[in-house]
Amino acid sequence: MGIISQNLENLIQAYKYNKSGGKVLPAIYVIEPTNTCNLRCSMCPNNEISNKGFMDFNLFRQIVEQISDSAKTILLYFTGEPLLHERIVEMISFCKNATTARVVLSTNGTALDSYLANDLIRSGLDTLIIGIDGNSKQTYEKIRVGAKFQDVCSNVLDFINIRGNGHEPELYLKLVRVNQDQNEIEDFVRRWDHYPCKIMISDLSSWANQLHGICDFGEYSYLGLQNPRNPCADLWFKMVINCSGDVVQCCYDFSGKYILGNLRSQEICEIWNDNLIQKLREKHRESGYENISLCRHCSEWSSEEDEYQYFSEYGALIGGRP
C-alpha cells in the first residue's frame, strides 16, 4: 500500500473507531487562492468578509510540497473567485506536478475567456465547475449580481469548443437550488444536457446557519432532520486553508473566526495533530456540539460517505460544502 493510501486508511480507521488523535494527515485540502470576488451573489457570504487578499505563491508552494504524501483531492477555491488570482494556472500546474491528487476548481465563469480556457486545459486540471444559477437572464442576474447571463453562457460554449473531443478537465455546470430558480431547473438541464458536460443541482447552504435570512432564499437544511447527529467527518478528512494561510475549523468558517493554526509559521502535521483539533474531535465524539460555536447550529455536517465523494465521481457530491 502506498503512502497516500495508507494515510487514507488510517483516517478511515480513526473516524470509524472515534480516535481523536494519531499521526494522520488530511486527504482533502481546500486551498483558497483568493477571497476576493467580482460578484455579489445573493446567497454567498463573500459580502461579509472584510479583509480581502490573494495567497502568496511562495506560501502556496510550501503548502503543496507538504501534502504530496497525503493529498487525494485538492480543491482550489473557497470563498472567492479563483480565476482572479493572476497565477491560478501556475498553481494548478504546480499541484499536478508535485502531487498525484485530483485537482478541482470552481468558478463563476465570468473571467473564463478563450486565453484562460486554453491555459486551464493545458494545466492538467482534473475538474472544472462553473456555477450558473438559473436558465434565464432575469433569474440568473438577480441571483448572480454583477454577472451577465449571456456572457457566461458564451464562455461555457467557448470552453467546450476549445476543449474539443478531450475529456479533461471534466466540466460540471452547477445550479444551486433556490426559490428564484426552482422553476427553471428542468429547462437548465435541457439546455445543457446535450453538451459534453455534467450537471450538478445542489442544495442551498446555510453556512452553518451563520447567514441571517438565508431561509428566505430556499430550503437548505438537508441534514438537520437526521437523528442522531454523527461526528462531522471533515474534522478528520479535510483541511481548509484560507488565502492568508490560516487553517480554519471547516469549510463554513468563511470569515476565519475559528483558526486552528497558520501555515506561515507551522507545519500541516503539527496543526492536524494538535490538541486544539483533537479536543474538537472529542466533543463531536461525545455529541458535545452545543459546546462548539460553529457546530452548534450546523445542519450540514459531513458523513464518512460524503468524504468518499471527493475521491470518486465528483458529480455525486451534492450540497453546500465546497
Side-chain angles (χ1 to χ4, degrees), residues 42 204 210-218 220:
S42 56
L204 175 68
Q210 296 178 92
L211 298 187
H212 300 296
I214 191 68
C215 58
D216 295 336
F217 293 103
Y220 64 86

Side-chain angles (χ1 to χ4, degrees), residues 2-15:
I3 295 175
I4 294 175
S5 296
Q6 184 61 63
N7 180 71
L8 179 58
E9 178 62 25
N10 292 341
L11 279 174
I12 293 170
Q13 295 301 313
Y15 181 74

Side-chain angles (χ1 to χ4, degrees), residues 39-101:
L39 303 184
R40 300 179 306 282
C41 300
S42 56
M43 67 292 194
C44 179
N46 187 269
N47 301 326
E48 300 189 17
I49 301 173
S50 55
N51 297 319
K52 303 292 181 70
F54 296 82
M55 180 172 282
D56 176 75
F57 188 80
N58 288 329
L59 173 62
F60 176 82
R61 183 174 59 225
Q62 292 169 15
I63 292 170
V64 174
E65 287 173 346
Q66 290 184 57
I67 67 178
S68 60
D69 289 340
S70 60
K72 292 281 289 183
T73 300
I74 299 173
L75 309 176
L76 288 181
Y77 59 95
F78 183 22
T79 65
E81 170 48 53
L83 293 187
L84 296 182
H85 198 295
E86 64 180 6
R87 301 183 74 174
I88 186 61
V89 175
E90 195 174 350
M91 287 177 161
I92 297 166
S93 297
F94 189 81
C95 286
K96 295 304 297 182
N97 290 329
T99 76
T100 59

Side-chain angles (χ1 to χ4, degrees), residues 241-255:
I241 307 163
N242 68 22
C243 62
S244 299
D246 291 327
V247 176
V248 296
Q249 183 175 316
C250 82
C251 55
Y252 295 128
D253 187 9
F254 57 84
S255 57

Side-chain angles (χ1 to χ4, degrees), residues 20-22 272-283:
S20 303
W272 207 241
N273 293 283
D274 187 73
N275 286 335
L276 184 57
I277 193 168
Q278 289 191 33
K279 288 179 180 177
L280 289 172
R281 292 172 186 147
E282 287 173 3
K283 288 178 180 178

